Amino acid sequence: MNQPGDDPQRAEEAGSGYDRLADVRRAGLDQIAQAATVDELRAVEAELLGRSSSLAELQKGLGSLAPEARREAGRAVNEARVELAAALAEQRARLVEAERATQLRSERLDLTEVPYEPRRGHLHLVTQTRDELEDVFVGMGYTVAEGPEVETDWHNFQALNIPVAHPARSTQDTLFLAYGEPESVLIRTHTSPVQVRVMQTQAPPIYSIMPGRVYRKDTPDARHVPTFHQLEGLVIDRGISFADLAGTIEVFTKAYFGPDVTSRLRPAYFPFTEPSAEYEISCVICGGTGCRTCSGTGWIELGGCGMVHPNVLTMCGIDPEEWSGFAFGFGFDRLAQMRHAISDMRVLYDNDIRFVSQF
Ligand code: DAH
């Protein structure tokens, strides 16, 4: 009957240990509240609830208590454990939340302050010019056609009534490609070969414009760049006359340049039109009185035009007895240069944002 729990002295000793429980709890709750990080809290947890914690010691000592005292002390130890565990869980949730918030704050990208004012891009002046001209012609019922930049000698020259060795070829400063028979493939020198392609694939009546890039073996200067843009026009119908051509040119000149600019046609020669003319506009700089830009003449030459040559119609499969038509072609980089009084054409292709962004 001499059980350890019955020994009043031992119970007394152990009891004094269990009196410390309130202190252990209070100190534990303090430690938990003071843990500033999840890592610190983990260390606190080991200290308060781990194997060598005061609570574990007290738990171990329970066996030496008298049954009555053991039950009570056991409940107290257990309550302390539960309370500390709850406080730990609560503090952990708080710390995890705080650490997450700190991390989010440190990783946040502040997009409200951009180091520069973002600018909107826009179409290049030459593209704007093409779009505007297309609008003018589409408004008159024309369709827009395109052709390849790499062309055959036949489309670029022969079908346009410029046979091999024709002197007109030398005016075109052609860039040939090392492809196929020598000098049979080239990068187009004008947009006129697209006329050929349109006539070969469409039955008249034809009302079409053909804008595009063209290439010449030219040294760049204020009025020439080796890569530039032309707009070709082609009308094939019954009873088309030179007056229709002149009227069309005057209409689009006024639509693009405004009512103060006027056009005129001067006799010229192109192998693919007969009769042929040069298309000029009154000088946009001086208004026609004569200045440096127009070399004192009051007029600026922009392109060529004429009545489509019967040989061209025939080569493209159209009967010249039934159909007639006119064609024209001009560089629209030059048109933009004139409208905006740009003294040097090369700036159009320098890609200098200070220039490009002005339009
Ligand atoms: N293709 C000519 C050139 O590049 C311009 C031209 C002249 C086009 C007369 C035409 C035309 O359609 O009829 O110089």
Side-chain angles (χ1 to χ4, degrees):
M1 285 286 284
N2 198 9
Q3 288 178 1
D6 294 341
D7 180 342
Q9 203 190 331
R10 285 191 66 179
E12 169 70 8
E13 271 172 25
S16 69
Y18 295 97
D19 290 344
R20 285 198 299 119
L21 203 51
D23 292 339
V24 169
R25 271 163 66 167
R26 209 173 308 111
L29 290 175
D30 264 5
Q31 259 181 295
I32 291 170
Q34 275 165 28
T37 65
V38 174
D39 283 345
E40 270 179 46
L41 189 70
R42 198 171 297 125
V44 170
E45 180 174 19
E47 198 182 321
L48 297 179
L49 303 181
R51 276 173 189 227
S52 47
S53 63
S54 314
L55 268 190
E57 289 301 319
L58 291 171
Q59 181 107 29
K60 268 181 233 152
L62 288 175
S64 60
L65 295 185
E68 192 60 19
R70 188 191 305 156
R71 206 174 305 122
E72 209 163 302
R75 193 182 315 117
V77 169
N78 208 39
E79 271 174 18
R81 181 176 284 282
V82 168
E83 190 180 357
L84 290 177
L88 280 164
E90 214 174 281
Q91 179 73 344
R92 176 171 297 106
R94 206 176 300 131
L95 290 175
V96 165
E97 181 56 34
E99 283 180 14
R100 249 194 92 212
T102 309
Q103 190 186 359
L104 282 181
R105 222 174 300 120
S106 73
E107 287 176 358
R108 189 177 65 178
L109 286 180
D110 184 356
L111 300 178
T112 57
E113 255 181 61
V114 199
Y116 62 92
E117 189 76 13
R119 275 177 303 176
R120 240 182 158 180
H122 62 73
L123 295 177
H124 189 275
L125 174 60
V126 173
T127 312
Q128 289 179 38
T129 306
R130 188 201 63 201
D131 287 353
E132 230 176 281
L133 291 167
E134 284 183 3
D135 283 349
V136 169
F137 280 100
V138 167
M140 294 197 281
Y142 286 59
T143 57
V144 181
E146 284 187 346
E149 290 179 18
V150 172
E151 265 299 6
T152 65
D153 180 90
W154 188 82
H155 288 90
N156 197 82
F157 291 125
Q158 295 174 46
L160 290 164
N161 208 25
I162 312 174
V164 177
H166 190 284
R169 287 184 175 228
S170 61
T171 66
Q172 298 256 326
D173 303 304
T174 311
L175 288 156
F176 287 99
L177 299 182
Y179 187 79
E181 293 287 303
E183 305 208 340
S184 64
V185 180
L186 45 84
I187 37 182
R188 65 186 180 194
T189 58
H190 52 179
T191 41
S192 301
V194 192
Q195 283 186 35
V196 174
R197 292 180 179 275
V198 167
M199 284 189 274
Q200 282 183 315
T201 52
Q202 290 175 35
I206 294 168
Y207 289 79
S208 204
I209 53 161
M210 296 138 259
R213 190 162 21 192
V214 300
Y215 305 85
R216 301 253 173 114
K217 205 163 48 187
D218 257 345
T219 306
D221 64 26
R223 288 167 56 79
H224 298 91
V225 284
T227 300
F228 58 105
H229 299 82
Q230 286 190 337
L231 187 125
E232 193 80 16
L234 176 70
V235 166
I236 307 284
D237 206 340
R238 291 193 172 89
I240 295 291
S241 76
F242 202 88
D244 297 311
L245 167 60
T248 304
I249 287 198
E250 178 67 6
V251 164
F252 99 77
T253 299
K254 290 230 172 336
Y256 181 74
F257 286 104
D260 298 337
V261 175
T262 184
S263 68
R264 74 171 185 184
L265 301 179
R266 295 210 309 161
Y269 170 75
F270 296 101
F272 31 96
T273 42
E274 183 60 36
S276 300
E278 260 164 15
Y279 150 51
E280 299 184 340
I281 58 164
S282 54
C283 180
V284 292
I285 308 293
C286 64
T289 54
C291 68
R292 255 190 20 201
T293 305
C294 59
S295 313
T297 63
W299 294 91
I300 290 168
E301 192 219 314
L302 285 183
C305 58
M307 303 306 290
V308 180
H309 198 292
N311 288 355
V312 174
L313 292 175
T314 306
M315 273 186 279
C316 297
I318 290 175
D319 180 2
E321 297 297 327
E322 189 181 352
W323 305 97
S324 61
F326 64 76
F328 56 84
F330 57 82
F332 60 83
D333 318 68
R334 177 70 50 77
L335 231 62
Q337 186 189 9
M338 286 301 138
R339 187 163 92 174
H340 298 286
I342 298 164
S343 55
D344 192 321
M345 200 174 204
R346 288 168 291 191
V347 295
L348 287 174
Y349 299 105
D350 280 347
N351 269 346
D352 185 331
I353 196 73
R354 291 168 301 179
F355 169 79
V356 168
S357 59
Q358 287 175 43
F359 302 96

